[in-house]
Amino acid sequence: MSYKKILTIQDISCVGQCSLTVALPILSACGMETCILPSAILSTHTAGFQDFTFRDLTDDMPNIQKHWQKGNIKFSAIYTGYLGSTKQIGYVKDILSTMGTSDCVRVVDPAMADNGKLYPAFDGEYVEAMKELCGSADILLPNITEACFLADMEYHEVYDETYIKVLLEKLSLLGAKSIVLTGVGYAPEKTGVVVYENGEMRYYEHDKISKGCHGTGDIYASAFTGALMNDKSMFEAAKIAADYTVKCIINTQGDADHWYGAKFETALRDLIDMLD
Ligand code: PXL
């Protein structure tokens, strides 16, 4: 594997183990030079903490991009997550189209919703803008809730393979080359991930840990991107990221004080072993 430079664009939640505080260490552990573009700075994430602060960094983005362009800085991969505003999505779209090397891989995690609901900061206008960003993705990485918002399909808790197939077909019309759909389970005690490539679905199923954790979408997307940039196939990367995320959840279970995130640091050694 050659040494690669990745850019990840998402928020800094100062406390809460999500977004950049997760992506930066995981991608570094995967052997990548990891550059960041913070979309916003929050005192904590928005899922369960009250009265968090929020500084939107939308207006800083064009100048940061211009500076990089002057220095001819390019990235082998660009991975986007939780963004700061609808206007910012336009800037991020431009960064995706101009800041990559000729073989750049663009991974878009449309981090905006879970469990059938949008996160508090987002609305229908944001969803419409996110649909546009999906068209710039080589790989789109939604959970089922996000996929439903993006494909204008009703969210169901219980579904079958036909529902997932229709969801992926509709989603692919937004223009992403491939889709990795997370949190897909056809039995109560199981979950997994569907990799949709060239119209074909491949499923990796694993045990569902009854109590999920906040931030696992970011852990998954970071590990997936890190594995992919280690020359793993999309399916192998999806599997490694799933196994790593499960390990993080297992290592967090049983600690009631740690309700806000997953102890992903405790399993970094396992992730590195999986890449070997
Ligand atoms: O993990 C997704 C995420 C990222 N960033 C912020 C969030 C959330 C989920 O709620 O609130 C600020």
Side-chain angles (χ1 to χ4, degrees):
M1 186 207 48
S2 59
Y3 186 68
K4 291 184 182 125
K5 193 201 300 275
I6 289 195
L7 171 65
T8 180
I9 310 174
Q10 43 191 319
D11 71 280
I12 298 176
S13 285
C14 299
V15 170
Q17 281 174 314
C18 68
S19 312
L20 282 182
T21 64
V22 163
L24 190 46
I26 291 178
L27 289 166
S28 299
C30 292
M32 306 292 130
E33 176 185 349
T34 308
C35 307
I36 61 167
L37 181 49
S39 57
I41 301 181
L42 296 87
S43 50
T44 64
H45 65 59
T46 66
F49 291 102
Q50 300 300 316
D51 304 326
F52 46 83
T53 67
F54 180 92
R55 179 176 297 274
D56 177 13
L57 296 178
T58 300
D59 292 339
D60 293 84
M61 281 194 172
N63 281 339
I64 292 174
Q65 184 186 2
K66 265 191 215 132
H67 183 216
W68 290 346
Q69 280 169 324
K70 264 196 199 155
N72 202 25
I73 294 167
K74 296 263 176 172
F75 304 99
S76 308
I78 304 178
Y79 148 43
T80 73
Y82 187 106
L83 302 178
S85 67
T86 302
K87 178 178 170 195
Q88 187 178 103
I89 294 179
Y91 293 150
V92 171
K93 201 162 181 274
D94 190 61
I95 289 170
L96 284 174
S97 68
T98 59
M99 301 304 295
T101 54
S102 58
D103 57 351
C104 176
V105 180
R106 296 165 180 86
V107 179
V108 172
D109 175 357
M112 61 179 184
D114 206 359
N115 301 313
K117 288 198 216 97
L118 285 177
Y119 294 145
F122 302 133
D123 57 14
E125 202 188 330
Y126 187 88
V127 175
E128 289 310 307
M130 186 55 82
K131 286 181 186 174
E132 294 278 316
L133 191 67
C134 294
S136 305
D138 294 308
I139 304 172
L140 181 63
L141 228 165
N143 60 36
I144 296 192
T145 303
E146 289 154 351
C148 286
F149 276 107
L150 293 167
D152 291 313
M153 260 176 75
E154 201 176 315
Y155 172 78
H156 289 181
E157 297 263 338
V158 180
Y159 43 78
D160 58 13
E161 222 177 290
T162 309
Y163 172 85
I164 294 297
K165 189 157 189 287
V166 174
L167 183 58
L168 286 165
E169 281 167 0
K170 286 200 173 175
L171 207 49
S172 68
L173 298 178
L174 295 176
K177 292 198 185 89
S178 305
I179 302 167
V180 177
L181 182 64
T182 60
V184 181
Y186 300 115
E189 72 286 3
K190 294 285 179 190
T191 187
V193 47
V194 178
V195 176
Y196 187 73
E197 243 179 316
N198 305 318
E200 295 290 317
M201 297 201 294
R202 276 183 83 187
Y203 183 46
Y204 178 60
E205 185 183 66
H206 56 84
D207 286 341
K208 181 173 180 172
I209 318 295
S210 57
K211 204 167 172 332
C213 297
H214 292 301
T216 47
D218 302 337
I219 292 173
Y220 186 91
S222 305
F224 171 81
T225 306
L228 195 74
M229 297 314 285
N230 271 269
D231 301 327
K232 302 293 178 195
S233 71
M234 200 151 41
F235 191 74
E236 276 176 313
K239 188 170 173 301
I240 288 171
D243 292 343
Y244 171 60
T245 306
V246 168
K247 190 96 188 43
C248 296
I249 299 172
I250 290 172
N251 291 357
T252 311
Q253 267 186 327
D255 183 350
D257 289 339
H258 208 96
W259 58 270
Y260 50 84
K263 298 177 180 175
F264 71 94
E265 310 84 353
T266 61
L268 279 176
R269 206 179 296 271
D270 301 86
L271 175 60
I272 293 166
D273 287 345
M274 286 185 240
L275 295 177
D276 278 342

